[in-house]
């Protein structure tokens, strides 16, 4: 391996998604012990910073200080929403939960909040939902902007009903929602192989100043398995250099799945920088 892309651990943040079945202290301890100083906080799990569970913010601040961890971004909730009697109630609840995550960002001076464009069944919105989704993203992006937070819409894989859903490539999302003034974007490179598989076009379709964060992982092109960046069909070194050459200067986020042992997976992530 070359060392343009695994030269400096400061170039990467670790998503605490890796530790979604563990407590936040275990996650931050492991991240720091492996020489990383930045995280994306996973807000889609009750014992991290999910606003639905009223996280102990004093404890979160103390842990970040103890382990000298900077928060690059927060991933807002998108699963496990309770059922409602009406679509209107469900939508209002989702908006309020995402605003609560944005509020958290504001209080902790976290610059980026990542969001999925999900529908009533926790996956991609249907085509009929596009007007609602445009309004919702406008409301949330403006809400975030007022708190000094950038809302980043992420590309996600297709669901089961591909004929009636919004194809969540960045190309499609930018075409539908790119006119929203304060909306930015997050490119998940692993999700590209499950949708369009056109990484270059996905990178180039969004203005560099609006493509503000990246989720880095790999897969076999069939399953969204969130493997290590060198374990799959994606040529991460190639895309790393292309993204940097476009002027991106911020951190990349390793969004790796634990598969039972996040501590061993952190060992493997750290070992990438020794090869």
């Amino acid at each position: 391996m070359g060392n343009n892309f695994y030269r400096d651990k400061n170039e990467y943040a670790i998503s605490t998604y890796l530790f979604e079945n563990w407590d936040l202290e275990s996650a931050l301890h492991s991240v720091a012990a492996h020489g990383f100083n930045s995280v994306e906080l996973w807000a889609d799990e009750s014992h991290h910073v999910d606003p639905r569970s009223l996280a102990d913010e004093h404890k979160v601040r103390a842990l970040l200080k103890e382990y000298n961890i900077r928060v690059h971004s927060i991933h807002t909730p998108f699963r496990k929403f309770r059922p409602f009697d009406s679509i209107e109630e469900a939508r209002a609840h989702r908006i309020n939960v995402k605003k609560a995550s944005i509020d958290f960002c504001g209080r902790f001076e976290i610059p980026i909040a990542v969001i999925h464009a999900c529908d009533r069944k926790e996956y991609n919105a249907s085509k009929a939902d596009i007007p609602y989704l445009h309004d919702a993203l406008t409301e949330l992006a403006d809400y975030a902007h007022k708190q000094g937070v950038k809302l980043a819409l992420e590309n996600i894989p297709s669901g089961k009903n591909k004929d009636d859903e919004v194809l969540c490539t960045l190309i499609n999302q930018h075409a539908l929602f790119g006119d929203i003034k304060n909306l930015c974007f997050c490119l998940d490179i692993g999700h590209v192989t499950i949708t369009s598989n056109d990484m270059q076009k996905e990178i180039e379709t969004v203005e560099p100043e609006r493509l503000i964060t990246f989720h880095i992982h790999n897969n076999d092109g069939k399953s969204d398995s969130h493997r290590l960046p060198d374990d799959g069909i994606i040529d991460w070194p190639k895309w790393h250099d292309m993204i940097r050459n476009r002027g991106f200067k911020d951190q990349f986020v390793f969004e790796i799945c634990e598969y039972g042992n996040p501590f061993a997976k952190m060992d493997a992530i750290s070992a990438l920088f020794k090869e």
Side-chain angles (χ1 to χ4, degrees):
M1 292 185 181
N3 49 340
N4 279 341
F5 42 97
Y6 297 134
R7 180 173 52 194
D8 185 359
K9 290 181 178 179
N10 292 324
E11 190 178 8
Y12 296 89
I14 304 293
S15 170
T16 62
Y17 167 61
L18 176 60
F19 296 88
E20 71 168 340
N21 295 315
W22 295 76
D23 60 278
L24 184 59
E25 182 169 8
S26 295
L28 297 182
H29 179 274
S30 183
V31 168
H34 285 87
F36 293 90
N37 63 10
S38 185
V39 295
E40 176 172 278
L41 287 175
W42 190 249
D44 195 50
E45 178 52 56
S46 59
H47 47 255
H48 285 198
V49 293
D50 191 325
R52 295 166 293 188
S53 62
L54 299 177
D56 183 342
E57 294 191 9
H58 293 293
K59 182 176 181 180
V60 174
R61 288 185 188 279
L63 289 173
L64 292 171
K65 182 177 181 180
E66 177 181 355
Y67 294 110
N68 193 27
I69 295 290
R70 166 187 176 267
V71 183
H72 168 274
S73 50
I74 192 168
H75 199 308
T76 62
F78 62 97
R79 302 176 299 183
K80 305 174 185 176
F81 283 93
R82 61 186 178 90
F84 286 87
D85 292 333
S86 71
I87 292 176
E88 290 73 23
E89 282 185 295
R91 286 175 170 177
H93 178 70
R94 285 175 178 268
I95 290 288
N96 288 335
V97 167
K98 293 180 187 300
K99 283 184 176 179
S101 279
I102 293 168
D103 290 340
F104 185 95
C105 287
R107 291 192 295 273
F108 278 73
E109 298 184 339
I110 300 168
I112 299 169
V114 176
I115 188 172
H116 283 187
C118 294
D119 76 346
R120 60 230 172 257
K121 294 183 179 178
E122 303 188 353
Y123 229 93
N124 301 353
S126 70
K127 292 175 182 177
D129 293 330
I130 291 173
Y132 153 74
L133 196 55
H134 191 284
D135 289 345
L137 290 171
T138 301
E139 179 181 350
L140 289 168
D142 290 348
Y143 186 84
H145 178 72
K146 290 176 182 177
Q147 300 197 51
V149 178
K150 293 182 178 180
L151 188 70
L153 180 61
E154 179 183 350
N155 59 307
I156 55 178
S158 302
K160 295 179 180 180
N161 189 11
K162 296 182 181 180
D163 292 335
D164 186 44
E165 70 175 27
V166 176
L167 181 60
C168 284
T169 62
L170 277 197
I171 296 167
N172 194 47
Q173 292 188 151
H174 186 265
L176 291 170
F177 311 120
D179 64 314
I180 299 175
K181 179 181 177 181
N182 292 316
L183 185 65
C184 296
F185 296 88
C186 166
L187 180 63
D188 184 305
I189 68 168
H191 294 168
V192 174
T193 66
I194 312 298
T195 51
S196 70
N197 204 27
D198 191 340
M199 192 77 71
Q200 181 167 337
K201 188 172 287 188
E202 287 284 85
I203 293 169
E204 291 178 341
T205 196
V206 177
E207 306 90 330
E209 65 273 14
R210 297 180 74 187
L211 188 51
I212 60 171
T213 188
F214 294 80
H215 288 166
I216 308 304
H217 54 96
N218 213 327
N219 58 57
D220 61 1
K222 300 176 183 178
S223 175
D224 185 27
S225 49
H226 286 256
R227 301 177 188 170
L228 292 172
D230 62 341
D231 182 14
I233 66 173
I234 299 170
D235 185 353
W236 169 232
K238 173 183 176 180
W239 304 119
H240 168 281
D241 290 349
M242 178 183 174
I243 293 164
R244 287 300 189 208
N245 288 338
R246 291 189 85 221
F248 181 72
K249 293 180 169 50
D250 206 344
Q251 290 179 309
F252 297 107
V253 177
F254 283 139
E255 193 181 61
I256 311 299
C257 188
E258 64 163 289
Y259 296 118
N261 190 339
F263 307 101
K265 194 58 62 76
M266 277 303 308
D267 290 341
I269 293 171
S270 185
L272 294 170
F273 295 82
K274 300 176 182 178
E275 296 185 25

